[in-house]
């Protein structure tokens, strides 16, 4: 079992390629209002959670809500792939803006697992090469997360690891 101890107020980034199980993990481990999902915000701003042309607007809205939550002292989880350094830079900057701890939970599942899930899904329309690209970006990122500013980094490498996480909150 992997134990993750979170301060009651922190900014959690779930990091992982599409299909790694971020949304499923978030649903199991956090309250609904705590999780800001890029897919949900794409849906809100455009009516289509897959609309890549809505990404900019979706993140603007997501960050607006994240700021409102952190200002109120509420733990916030960002459910987006965040496999690119640039995306993570925004998360760390946001945490610093509110003087809260940026926490990374990385879902680094084997590529064949991601591909099998992708093939079984009807809700994702990009090609499988997108997942390979994300996996490559994630692997390059793994050693850099602490230096980027994430203070707690947990890397989960299998579906079993993901399911066996126990999160506790500390004051
Ligand atoms: P994106 O939203 O595309 O970035 O994916 P995600 O990382 O949020 O993954 P999500 O939780 O949406 O799960 C992707 C697919 O994998 C869904 O069809 C889930 O039902 C499935 N899935 C998630 N976790 C597991 C698991 O532990 N086992 C199996 N078999 N399938 C899972």
């Amino acid at each position: 079992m992997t134990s993750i101890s979170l301060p009651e107020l922190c900014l959690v980034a779930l990091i992982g390629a599409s299909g790694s199980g971020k949304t499923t993990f978030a649903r199991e481990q956090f309250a609904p209002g705590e999780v800001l999902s890029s897919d949900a915000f794409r849906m809100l701003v455009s009516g289509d959670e897959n609309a890549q042309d809505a990404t900019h607007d979706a993140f603007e809205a997501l960050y607006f809500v994240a700021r409102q939550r952190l200002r109120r002292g509420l733990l916030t989880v960002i459910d987006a792939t965040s496999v690119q350094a640039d995306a993570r830079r925004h998360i760390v900057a946001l945490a610093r803006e509110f003087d809260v701890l940026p926490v990374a939970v990385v879902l680094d599942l084997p590529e064949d697992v991601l591909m099998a899930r992708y093939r079984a899904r009807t809700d994702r329309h990009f090609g499988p090469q997108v997942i390979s690209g994300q996996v490559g970006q994630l692997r390059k990122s793994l050693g850099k997360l602490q230096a980027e500013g994430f203070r707690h980094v947990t890397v989960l490498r299998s579906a079993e690891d993901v399911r066996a996480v126990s999160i506790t909150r500390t004051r």
Side-chain angles (χ1 to χ4, degrees):
M1 201 222 296
T2 304
S3 294
I4 302 177
S5 171
L6 297 178
E8 245 170 55
L9 175 55
C10 62
L11 180 60
V12 181
L14 303 181
I15 300 172
S18 175
S20 56
K22 301 178 296 295
T23 302
T24 306
F25 177 80
R27 198 181 302 128
E28 285 168 4
Q29 299 282 0
F30 297 97
E34 292 179 326
V35 181
L36 306 182
S37 147
S38 55
D39 288 339
F41 278 91
R42 274 196 199 87
M43 173 63 91
L44 285 171
V45 303
S46 77
D48 175 1
E49 70 170 24
N50 279 293
Q52 295 307 308
D53 67 333
T55 294
H56 175 83
D57 292 348
F59 274 95
E60 208 168 83
L62 185 156
Y63 270 85
F64 179 83
V65 176
R67 282 199 168 80
Q68 302 286 353
R69 288 185 56 81
L70 293 172
R71 193 169 291 128
R72 287 168 181 270
L74 296 171
L75 181 145
T76 299
V77 180
I78 297 187
D79 169 13
T81 55
S82 300
V83 293
Q84 295 176 334
D86 204 40
R88 296 191 300 270
R89 200 164 45 74
H90 284 105
I91 296 173
V92 172
L94 179 64
R96 289 194 176 141
E97 189 182 325
F98 288 91
D99 200 22
V100 303
L101 203 68
V103 174
V105 178
V106 183
L107 284 71
D108 178 23
L109 269 63
E111 191 166 339
D112 58 343
V113 173
L114 302 181
M115 289 300 177
R117 288 185 188 174
Y118 172 77
R119 284 193 295 272
R121 289 174 89 175
T122 53
D123 62 335
R124 287 291 178 265
H125 310 305
F126 47 69
Q129 73 284 354
V130 170
I131 293 174
S132 303
Q134 292 174 349
V135 169
Q137 288 176 316
L138 179 63
R139 298 274 152 83
K140 273 193 276 180
S141 305
L142 280 176
K144 301 181 185 163
L145 297 174
Q146 303 268 5
E148 288 176 1
F150 288 99
R151 294 279 299 283
H152 289 204
V153 176
T154 302
V155 182
L156 306 166
R157 299 198 189 274
S158 68
E160 293 69 39
D161 278 3
V162 174
R163 272 196 297 274
V165 167
S166 161
I167 294 181
T168 53
R169 301 193 190 192
T170 55
R171 282 186 187 276

